[in-house]
Amino acid sequence: MNIKHFRNQTDLDLSITLIVNQGLASSTQTEITHTFQIKAKESKKIEYGDIYCNYLMGISITYELDDMRLKISKLVTNEKSPLANTLNNSSYLEISDLTLPAIESDV
């Protein structure tokens, strides 16, 4: 198994889904998703994937704020990108800020 330590530094309870596969260079399409809950200000050790599927291709974070359910998704499109580096080259991932989208009306 693969292990990451998550820290939720926000004031919100989060549902996180990890998208795991064999990497962009792999010709196979095996994909595993792993969803877990993490409370505000909580730290949690998470095991994900398997011996073959161990590359984090993306992350989705769902939370509720101001009577809205919001979801942020980020997917790796280049294995040398900052997102790929953040997800795969450290044992610790910290979520420190989630911004509320600005939705306006002329009514």
Side-chain angles (χ1 to χ4, degrees):
M1 278 300 210
N2 309 289
I3 296 174
K4 290 278 187 207
H5 299 268
F6 284 81
R7 286 186 286 230
N8 178 3
Q9 295 297 94
T10 73
D11 293 325
L12 302 165
D13 294 342
L14 308 175
S15 175
I16 298 177
T17 299
L18 302 176
I19 302 161
V20 188
N21 72 14
Q22 296 170 335
L24 289 175
S26 174
S27 61
T28 61
Q29 297 301 316
T30 303
E31 185 173 280
I32 298 170
T33 58
H34 181 79
T35 301
F36 63 96
Q37 315 318 304
I38 187 168
K39 294 187 182 294
K41 305 299 183 194
E42 182 180 27
S43 294
K44 192 176 264 194
K45 180 174 95 172
I46 300 297
E47 293 183 11
Y48 65 93
D50 62 23
I51 193 167
Y52 302 107
C53 262
N54 56 20
Y55 187 82
L56 285 176
M57 282 297 296
I59 186 169
S60 290
I61 303 169
T62 305
Y63 58 101
E64 292 186 12
L65 181 64
D66 294 338
D67 297 323
M68 291 185 287
R69 178 169 287 146
L70 302 165
K71 181 176 184 178
I72 298 169
S73 295
K74 294 188 175 230
L75 295 173
V76 171
T77 57
N78 178 335
E79 288 183 340
K80 297 185 188 301
S81 71
L83 177 61
N85 184 45
T86 298
L87 292 178
N88 291 288
N89 291 338
S90 174
S91 297
Y92 291 86
L93 293 176
E94 180 175 294
I95 297 148
S96 57
D97 184 37
L98 299 166
T99 56
L100 180 64
I103 302 170
E104 298 179 10
S105 172
D106 61 356
V107 177

